[in-house]
C-alpha cells in the first residue's frame, strides 16, 4: 500500500470528530437527521474545514498534555 492511501493522525481525529457529531444529530422525534443529501458543495467544504479545525485543536492539545 502506498502512503497516499494512508491517513495521518489529523485525518483520523477529523473523521472521529465528524462521526461523533453526525451520530449525535437527532431531531425531537428521535429520528436521525444528519446532513441533507442536497447540501451544496460549498457548505460541505465549510463543514469539512470545521472538523479539521477540531482535529488541529486536538493535535495542539496533545502537544501540551
Amino acid at each position: 500500500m502506498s502512503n497516499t492511501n494512508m491517513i495521518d493522525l489529523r485525518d483520523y481525529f477529523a473523521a472521529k470528530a465528524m462521526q461523533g457529531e453526525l451520530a449525535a444529530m437527532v431531531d425531537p422525534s428521535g429520528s436521525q437527521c444528519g446532513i441533507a443529501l442536497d447540501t451544496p458543495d460549498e457548505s460541505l467544504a465549510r463543514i469539512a474545514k470545521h472538523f479539521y479545525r477540531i482535529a488541529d485543536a486536538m493535535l495542539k492539545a496533545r502537544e501540551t498534555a
Side-chain angles (χ1 to χ4, degrees):
M1 180 166 38
S2 71
N3 287 341
T4 59
N5 292 330
M6 297 177 68
I7 66 169
D8 62 14
L9 190 56
R10 183 175 184 249
D11 294 327
Y12 178 80
F13 283 164
K16 287 296 188 175
M18 179 180 64
Q19 179 183 24
E21 192 164 316
L22 291 178
M25 292 177 138
V26 294
D27 68 19
S29 70
S31 64
Q32 297 288 356
C33 57
I35 296 173
L37 294 175
D38 60 350
T39 301
D41 290 347
E42 298 81 20
S43 295
L44 293 175
R46 204 168 54 249
I47 292 167
K49 287 179 183 178
H50 165 72
F51 292 113
Y52 273 105
R53 285 180 57 219
I54 292 171
D56 290 340
M58 292 171 77
L59 289 169
K60 186 174 182 180
R62 191 171 184 258
E63 293 173 0
T64 61

